[in-house]
């Protein structure tokens, strides 16, 4: 297993390099850029995603900042809206954002800084990228971890029950309910929940925004826990319906496939009880495919899956930060978020493989090629 782990860790290097290279190359051809964004701000024609961006444009980027797309040739005044501006001012902006260097130099400088976890400063917020991510992490951690935990705690027992009761009224009705839940988009469920339970038109039971109340600091420890969980009820409900459906049906189908195999019939013929057959023989084999879906589900819920929910419930997390950064051409934040997301995803995939061997010791990755 040690050799397999080492191979996987070494494979992460070219994989991460490829992800960053492709993303960096695509951004070079994207219209606009940070320089044009600053020009638009100065001319009063800013069309950024949010008005919350403030502070000096770019901050102290120098050689530390993450150079993104270079846009057009500012030396020839080809930046959109740059006509009439001092060419020296345009050149100073290019130097500030790092665009005075060739693209390949910017790319390798970015990689060198990222290897040292030096992500520089945001282009349009007077703070470091790591500080921005640190500020948004509580929201993303809350949504991602609780959603993943609840999904597995509810969907696995429900899927096992549906497999045992396959074809019964319980199976039919629960299948109909979870399919409807899967078909309805999460953001529509979120809006409906706000209308019904957050003071929209009917009841005012749950809070509308944030993870905590304004008086959270003054609450006792039990009060803080209740307040925190109370704020999560509506966002997790809106996010979880689709996840519950996918995981439940995956668990059911996996168990059905195993239940119909010969070794289950043999165990029953020997007089094993139903519970012993399910959890002593079937569970370990059936859960392998469920475990395989864990990395994608976790990373999706942790980062990108909550974007619309964060917007609807005013939860300022990693997903919303990355989306706003793309629209605002804040490439320092965009690439740092992508790098961290990719690194976490690769690490979680390796953790998933190690979990395989814990669930079923018969699996031996040492004898397989990566």
């Amino acid at each position: 297993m040690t050799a397999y782990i080492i191979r996987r860790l070494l494979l992460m290097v070219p994989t991460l390099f490829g992800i960053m290279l492709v993303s960096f190359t695509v951004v070079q051809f994207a219209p606009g850029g940070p320089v044009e964004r600053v020009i638009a701000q100065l001319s009063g024609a800013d069309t950024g995603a949010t008005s919350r961006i403030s502070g000096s444009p770019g901050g102290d980027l120098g050689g530390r900042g993450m150079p993104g797309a270079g846009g057009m040739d500012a030396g020839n005044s080809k930046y959109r809206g740059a006509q009439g501006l001092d060419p020296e001012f345009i050149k100073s902006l290019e130097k500030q954002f790092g665009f005075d260097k060739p693209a390949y130099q910017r790319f390798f400088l970015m990689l060198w800084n990222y290897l040292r976890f030096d992500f520089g400063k945001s282009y349009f917020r007077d703070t470091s990228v790591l500080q921005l991510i640190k500020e948004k992490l509580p929201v993303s951690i809350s949504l991602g971890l609780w959603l993943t935990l609840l999904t597995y705690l509810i969907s696995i027992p429900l899927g096992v029950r549906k497999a045992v009761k396959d074809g019964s009224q319980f199976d039919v009705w629960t299948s109909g309910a979870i399919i409807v839940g899967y078909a309805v988009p999460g953001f529509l469920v979120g809006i409906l929940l706000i209308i019904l339970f957050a003071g929209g038109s009917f009841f005012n039971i749950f809070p509308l925004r944030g993870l905590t109340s304004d008086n959270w600091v003054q609450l006792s420890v039990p009060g803080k826990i209740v307040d925190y969980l109370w704020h999560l009820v509506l966002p997790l409900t809106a996010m979880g319906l689709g996840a519950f459906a996918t995981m439940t049906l995956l668990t059911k189908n996996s168990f059905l496939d195993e239940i119909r195999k010969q070794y289950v019939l043999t165990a029953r013929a020997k007089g094993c009880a139903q519970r012993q057959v399910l959890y002593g023989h079937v569970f370990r084999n059936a859960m392998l495919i469920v475990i395989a879906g864990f990395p994608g589900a976790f990373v999706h819920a942790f980062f990108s899956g909550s974007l619309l929910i964060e917007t609807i419930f005013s939860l300022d997390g990693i997903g919303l930060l990355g989306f706003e950064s793309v629209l605002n051409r804040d490439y320092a934040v965009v690439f740092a978020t992508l790098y961290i997301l990719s690194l976490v995803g690769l690490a979680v995939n390796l953790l998933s493989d190690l979990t395989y061997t814990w669930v079923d010791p018969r699996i031996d990755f040492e004898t397989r090629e990566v």
Side-chain angles (χ1 to χ4, degrees):
M1 181 56 68
T2 302
Y4 174 77
I5 294 176
I6 294 175
R7 292 200 304 268
R8 287 293 301 271
L9 290 175
L10 292 176
L11 184 62
M12 288 183 185
V13 176
T15 303
L16 197 58
F17 178 85
I19 292 173
M20 300 306 298
L21 177 61
V22 171
S23 303
F24 186 88
T25 303
V26 170
V27 166
Q28 303 312 302
F29 297 98
V35 176
E36 286 189 330
R37 178 74 198 284
V38 174
I39 294 173
Q41 287 178 327
L42 295 176
S43 63
D46 185 16
T47 57
T50 175
S51 60
R52 287 180 293 174
I53 292 179
S54 60
S56 62
D60 182 21
L61 291 175
R64 294 185 60 209
M66 211 323 290
M72 293 169 281
D73 184 6
N76 296 327
S77 299
K78 293 183 180 180
Y79 283 100
R80 184 172 53 190
Q83 290 77 8
L85 295 178
D86 186 356
E88 293 300 322
F89 172 72
I90 301 299
K91 289 181 180 180
S92 68
L93 284 179
E94 288 184 321
K95 184 176 181 180
Q96 181 176 341
F97 290 121
F99 297 155
D100 57 329
K101 303 180 182 67
Y104 73 91
Q105 289 187 14
R106 301 200 305 271
F107 175 71
F108 285 106
L109 177 61
M110 175 193 73
L111 291 184
W112 171 245
N113 290 333
Y114 282 13
L115 287 175
R116 297 179 290 121
F117 288 92
D118 179 3
F119 300 105
K121 295 184 67 175
S122 167
Y123 286 172
F124 301 103
R125 307 175 195 237
D126 192 19
T127 184
S128 68
V129 174
L130 280 179
Q131 181 62 32
L132 275 175
I133 295 176
K134 181 180 177 181
E135 293 174 357
K136 314 302 180 184
L137 273 180
V139 171
S140 296
I141 290 175
S142 296
L143 295 178
L145 291 182
W146 283 111
L147 178 62
T148 304
L149 179 63
L150 290 175
T151 298
Y152 274 76
L153 288 178
I154 295 174
S155 298
I156 291 177
L158 180 59
V160 173
R161 185 66 176 174
K162 285 174 62 62
V164 174
K165 299 290 185 180
D166 184 41
S168 66
Q169 288 189 351
F170 172 82
D171 180 43
V172 173
W173 283 105
T174 53
S175 294
I178 62 177
I179 289 175
V180 170
Y182 181 78
V184 179
F187 70 90
L188 288 182
V189 177
I191 295 174
L192 177 62
L193 292 175
I194 289 176
I195 294 174
L196 292 177
F197 303 111
S201 299
F202 296 90
F203 305 101
N204 189 12
I205 301 175
F206 295 98
L208 180 60
R209 62 179 65 238
L211 282 181
T212 57
S213 301
D214 295 335
N215 64 337
W216 189 80
V217 178
Q218 304 171 359
L219 298 175
S220 62
V221 174
K224 289 180 179 180
I225 296 175
V226 172
D227 181 74
Y228 167 73
L229 296 176
W230 203 241
H231 279 75
L232 285 175
V233 171
L234 295 187
L236 290 178
T237 302
M239 291 177 62
L241 293 181
F244 290 152
T246 302
M247 187 59 62
T248 300
L249 293 180
L250 179 64
T251 304
K252 175 194 172 182
N253 293 333
S254 179
F255 266 79
L256 282 178
D257 184 60
E258 291 295 324
I259 287 174
R260 293 165 181 166
K261 290 185 177 179
Q262 184 64 41
Y263 75 90
V264 176
L265 298 177
T266 302
R268 286 174 174 168
K270 291 182 177 180
C272 293
Q274 177 76 346
R275 186 177 183 85
Q276 183 180 358
V277 171
L278 286 178
Y279 296 101
H281 296 80
V282 176
F283 186 81
R284 183 175 62 180
N285 295 326
M287 285 303 297
L288 290 176
I289 191 173
V290 177
I291 293 173
F294 174 78
F298 176 78
V299 175
H300 179 75
F302 193 86
F303 288 97
S304 60
S306 59
L307 172 59
L308 292 176
I309 302 302
E310 289 178 10
T311 304
I312 293 172
F313 291 97
S314 299
L315 299 172
D316 199 4
I318 296 292
L320 187 58
L321 172 66
F323 176 72
E324 290 180 347
S325 299
V326 170
L327 294 186
N328 291 315
R329 303 299 191 265
D330 195 348
Y331 294 127
V333 179
V334 171
F335 284 108
T337 305
L338 175 65
Y339 180 85
I340 294 174
L341 170 63
S342 302
L343 192 60
V344 171
L346 292 172
V348 172
N349 270 290
L350 176 59
L351 180 62
S352 174
D353 284 349
L354 298 180
T355 308
Y356 270 125
T357 61
W358 176 70
V359 174
D360 190 350
R362 296 172 298 176
I363 297 178
D364 183 12
F365 289 109
E366 290 282 4
T367 59
R368 301 176 59 186
E369 296 293 333
V370 179

